[in-house]
Amino acid sequence: MIKVENLTKKYAGVIAVDRVSFEVSSGEVVGFLGPNGAGKTSTMRILAGFMPATSGKVTIAGHDVFTESFQARRRVGYMPENVPLYSDMRVFEYLRYRAKLKGVPRRALDERLADVFEQCGLDTVRNRMIGTLSKGYRQRVGIADALVHAPDILIFDEPTIGLDPAQIRQMRELIRGLGKRHTILLSTHILPEVEATCRRVLILSKGRIAAAGTVDTLVGGFRAAGGLFTEIAGADLQTVEKALREIQAVRDVETREMDGGWGGYTMRVREGEDAREAVFELVKSRGWKLRELSSRGISLEDVFLDLTES
Amino acid sequence: MAPASYVILFLFLLTTGALYVFALNAANNRAMPVSLIEIFFQFVMFFGFVLVFPLLTMRLLAEEFKMGTIEPLMTAPVSDWAMVLSKYVAALVFYIFLWAPTALYFTITRWVSNVTIAESSGVYWTAYGLVFMMGMAYLAVGLLTSALTSSQVLAAIGSFSLVSILFYFGLLAGITSPQLTFFRDLLSYVSAAEHMNDSLRGILHLRAVVYYLSVALFALALTHRAVQYRRWRL
Ligand SMILES: Nc1ncnc2c1ncn2[C@@H]1O[C@H](COP(=O)(O)OP(=O)(O)O)[C@@H](O)[C@H]1O
Ligand SMILES: [Mg+2]
């Protein structure tokens, strides 16, 4: 459905997207994950036909987004980052205008609008001025706009940014529901987001695809590089943290103060190595106390940090 | 309709209403038999007429670029031409909507008084026809300046300057040396003042119509070009 080959985007010398290639097949829900500035928005804007690529080729349902922009755009429902809307229009008025603009035939208009209002839970704000809506509702108006011409491909740029936890949950439910009948590409820089909604993930870092695959395979591939949690007492936190960092297999330590002189240390361990024995030896040689030492399953977060930090 | 549109409508009606009252006074007091419609349009044309165009067009595209709403607009399956033309038609419709009440002034006056309103009924058509032709041309120029910037203020300054030049340029004919016949003819051909004098005598020359249509088409083509460039860099 979406095919991206060697996509490159430069802004006045800055390379925002660097030879990116990927495919999204029909019915998939794919998460586009990357820290701020990774090039997610640039890529999606090109996919949505808002701006041209510097080089490379993108096709949507077989249509080139540059040479057959019009046909490609008909197939795509796009929600831009931060959802720009006309604040002096009413919700219903806006969505009706958008539906007409996107070529929904007059006789299908009422039914189509009723559908998206219901799907996005907008009935209660039907006559509200868009400028007075909360962030959560603005976001839903953006989704409704993307859906209104019944496209089969949806592209959402940061659909949950700026929402509170309850709204995030509702948004996830909504996207999960849409995933049953649409091909979706959504971007986010928040991890639980993709784990909750997407089957496949593309990790973008500094304009390049750093990894791609299902959440399971990505995590599986990094199985060896796990995490380790330990609780130690007998010295101040900095001393212990410093000593743990000196263990060869440990690449990162996060320290948390606990009651009674104890400290909790979460370590990230280098790929293919095990630090448990070294930690025990360290505690024994210094004469500290140890009350917990456990391996932690690796999370997508570890993979993400690993790929995007170095 | 946007809140700003109500403000423009209100100001327009206030100004034209006041000018109409002045025109009525003048028509009553003058010894010379000059028609009311003539005085009214003379007043309007030289009092704030050119301000209408920046006010009606500055928001059209500049605001969309500034607020980012250009993104949903340009990613909808709408061609750049359709987008430019729909903005243009919207402005033109509002322009007609602004002028419509002034025709009502004349109608009411005819009911209640016996002032000479127009030499003949044809003058209504030529005068309003010319106002419409000028609207077509100057609104297109305004849309063009709005496509060139993301700042409403710059768009307004740009269209005010361009429309003023186009509107007042023809007045140079009066101070051009009579030897420069060609140049003089050219100036009178594009002179808004001359077109207006003609129209108030019931004449709307085909060459004037052609001139305003050409300006409109040229400005629209440039607007389309500007939008394409800002979007596709081509
Ligand atoms: N219009 C632009 N002009 C210049 N640089 C830009 C523009 N848009 C984005 N960039 C730069 O391109 C890089 C990628 O940005 P973006 O695609 O917005 O990333 P993301 O959406 O992943 O945060 C950033 O370094 C950003 O500063
Ligand atoms: Mg972004």
Side-chain angles (χ1 to χ4, degrees):
Chain A
M1 276 309 217
I2 303 177
K3 194 167 177 203
V4 177
E5 293 164 82
N6 272 317
L7 179 67
T8 298
K9 177 74 193 176
K10 288 185 194 153
Y11 297 106
V14 184
I15 299 182
V17 181
D18 188 11
R19 287 162 292 155
V20 161
S21 301
F22 63 88
E23 266 184 65
V24 180
S25 8
S26 185
E28 267 193 308
V29 179
V30 173
F32 213 30
L33 185 62
N36 287 321
K40 304 182 293 295
T41 298
S42 303
T43 308
M44 294 183 129
R45 282 181 161 171
I46 295 166
L47 264 54
F50 181 56
M51 62 184 192
T54 306
S55 65
K57 186 175 164 68
V58 178
T59 54
I60 302 266
H63 301 291
D64 187 300
V65 293
F66 189 67
T67 58
E68 297 178 297
S69 172
F70 193 79
Q71 288 94 323
R73 277 183 272 156
R74 277 168 96 105
R75 303 292 296 270
V76 174
Y78 171 57
M79 182 177 82
E81 190 170 20
N82 301 320
V83 203
L85 300 168
Y86 301 113
S87 48
D88 56 9
M89 270 176 120
R90 293 177 195 282
V91 173
F92 185 75
E93 190 189 3
Y94 177 71
L95 289 171
R96 194 184 44 196
Y97 151 75
R98 292 289 297 173
K100 283 192 194 158
L101 186 75
K102 292 171 166 194
V104 176
R106 199 169 281 275
R107 67 202 138 66
L109 201 62
D110 289 340
E111 199 189 326
R112 196 62 216 130
L113 284 170
D115 273 0
V116 296
F117 267 80
E118 140 115 71
Q119 244 178 322
C120 302
L122 284 170
D123 284 311
T124 52
V125 294
R126 199 184 151 85
N127 291 316
R128 283 265 295 276
M129 244 4 163
I130 289 176
T132 69
L133 293 181
S134 70
K135 183 84 181 143
Y137 274 111
R138 284 181 66 90
Q139 224 74 337
R140 289 197 216 179
V141 173
I143 302 256
D145 173 24
L147 291 173
V148 80
H149 60 304
D152 44 358
I153 301 166
L154 299 174
I155 298 180
F156 297 151
D157 197 355
E158 309 258 12
T160 57
I161 198 165
L163 300 187
D164 66 36
Q167 294 171 327
I168 289 179
R169 246 174 86 161
Q170 291 167 353
M171 185 57 72
R172 275 187 203 156
E173 291 296 313
L174 179 57
I175 292 171
R176 254 204 293 263
L178 292 172
K180 291 184 189 121
R181 284 196 281 150
H182 297 85
T183 304
I184 304 182
L185 178 66
L186 66 87
S187 81
T188 175
H189 62 276
I190 307 157
L191 275 149
E193 206 52 57
V194 268
E195 288 185 291
T197 42
C198 307
R199 228 161 301 146
R200 206 153 66 80
V201 183
L202 301 162
I203 297 183
L204 198 66
S205 170
K206 301 191 187 89
R208 307 228 52 190
I209 298 263
T214 62
V215 175
D216 289 343
T217 53
L218 278 181
V219 173
F222 278 73
R223 187 72 65 199
L228 207 55
F229 180 71
T230 179
E231 291 178 21
I232 294 171
D236 61 290
L237 298 173
Q238 285 88 347
T239 316
V240 178
E241 183 178 324
K242 190 157 171 286
L244 288 171
R245 279 184 191 281
E246 277 163 10
I247 295 172
Q248 212 271 321
V250 173
R251 39 179 304 190
D252 198 16
V253 183
E254 222 176 274
T255 305
R256 190 177 77 221
E257 191 169 356
M258 299 175 119
D259 289 339
W262 289 90
Y265 305 89
T266 310
M267 286 163 271
R268 286 204 287 137
V269 176
R270 273 177 224 287
E271 205 172 328
E273 298 190 35
D274 191 342
R276 283 174 297 182
E277 240 181 282
V279 171
F280 178 73
E281 288 299 335
L282 173 73
V283 171
K284 198 170 74 172
S285 70
R286 303 280 177 102
W288 298 338
K289 286 186 281 183
L290 181 128
R291 68 174 185 193
E292 161 134 27
L293 179 58
S294 54
S295 295
R296 288 232 157 146
I298 186 169
S299 68
L300 190 56
E301 183 168 2
D302 298 304
V303 179
F304 180 62
L305 289 175
D306 202 275
L307 288 166
T308 55
E309 266 175 4
S310 48
Chain B
M1 209 159 70
S5 311
Y6 290 106
V7 177
I8 295 172
L9 179 62
F10 175 75
L11 289 178
F12 188 84
L13 291 182
L14 195 71
T15 313
T16 52
L19 291 174
Y20 189 78
V21 172
F22 290 140
L24 253 181
N25 261 325
N28 274 327
N29 298 337
R30 264 197 216 179
M32 265 198 313
V34 184
S35 67
L36 177 63
I37 197 168
E38 202 164 328
I39 304 171
F40 174 68
F41 274 96
Q42 298 273 11
F43 277 5
V44 171
M45 291 284 169
F46 290 96
F47 193 86
F49 178 63
V50 289
L51 281 175
V52 170
F53 304 99
L55 285 174
L56 255 57
T57 55
M58 61 187 192
R59 279 164 49 96
L60 290 177
L61 285 163
E63 184 76 351
E64 302 256 14
F65 277 103
K66 176 141 184 211
M67 302 308 288
T69 46
I70 196 76
E71 192 167 351
L73 187 56
M74 283 182 162
T75 50
V78 177
S79 71
D80 292 347
W81 262 121
M83 190 190 84
V84 168
L85 288 181
S86 62
K87 292 273 175 197
Y88 178 62
V89 169
L92 203 55
V93 166
F94 187 60
Y95 180 76
I96 294 170
F97 188 73
L98 281 183
W99 278 101
T102 65
L104 209 64
Y105 301 165
F106 292 113
T107 316
I108 293 170
T109 310
R110 195 164 49 210
W111 286 342
V112 301
S113 112
N114 54 2
V115 188
T116 321
I117 294 175
E119 306 292 328
S120 72
S121 66
V123 174
Y124 282 114
W125 293 106
T126 51
Y128 278 102
L130 181 71
V131 163
F132 180 70
M133 297 312 299
M134 285 178 163
M136 285 186 81
Y138 300 155
L139 290 172
V141 169
L143 183 61
L144 171 62
T145 61
S146 187
L148 293 173
T149 164
S150 300
S151 151
Q152 282 193 55
V153 176
L154 285 183
I157 293 172
S159 55
F160 179 74
S161 314
L162 282 176
V163 171
S164 296
I165 290 170
L166 288 173
F167 190 73
Y168 293 110
F169 192 60
L171 294 180
L172 292 178
I175 54 162
T176 310
S177 131
Q179 277 86 28
L180 300 166
T181 334
F182 170 74
F183 194 52
R184 247 185 116 99
D185 284 353
L186 188 75
L187 282 175
S188 79
Y189 173 73
V190 301
S191 166
E194 199 138 316
H195 296 154
M196 196 182 54
N197 286 333
D198 287 348
S199 82
L200 293 173
R201 273 182 269 117
I203 307 158
L204 191 54
H205 284 297
L206 180 64
R207 56 163 198 249
V209 173
V210 169
Y211 165 69
Y212 288 112
L213 281 181
S214 319
V215 172
L217 286 178
F218 186 61
L220 286 175
L222 284 180
T223 307
H224 178 252
R225 204 74 213 76
V227 166
Q228 287 235 305
Y229 179 76
R230 286 184 83 161
R231 172 183 200 159
W232 301 113
R233 301 283 147 197
L234 35 92

